[in-house]
Amino acid sequence: MPRSHPTRRVPRHHLALHRPPQRRDSAGAQALRTSDLILALLGVVMLGGLALAAAFVLAAGATAP
């Protein structure tokens, strides 16, 4: 009797990572990752440094050559 399915595996065309479903807290918010906090803090520090540099240039009265 012939087999209804081929013996070799059929290749999968969608290679996605199978992750376990995330648990939701009672508020429904996702967990905050440490890397997100570090990137946000780095952005704030860089913006603050740019503002301080601009204030220093303006206060020093530097003019374009």
Side-chain angles (χ1 to χ4, degrees):
M1 177 194 287
R3 294 182 183 226
S4 60
H5 297 290
T7 56
R8 64 186 179 97
R9 289 183 62 184
V10 178
R12 294 175 59 186
H13 296 288
H14 52 90
L15 299 175
L17 295 175
H18 295 286
R19 296 180 181 162
Q22 294 180 350
R23 292 187 315 174
R24 300 281 180 163
D25 295 333
S26 59
Q30 291 184 351
L32 195 60
R33 294 184 303 196
T34 306
S35 60
D36 291 341
L37 286 173
I38 291 173
L39 284 175
L41 184 62
L42 182 64
V44 169
V45 168
M46 289 181 70
L47 281 174
L50 182 65
L52 281 175
F56 177 75
V57 168
L58 288 174
T63 58

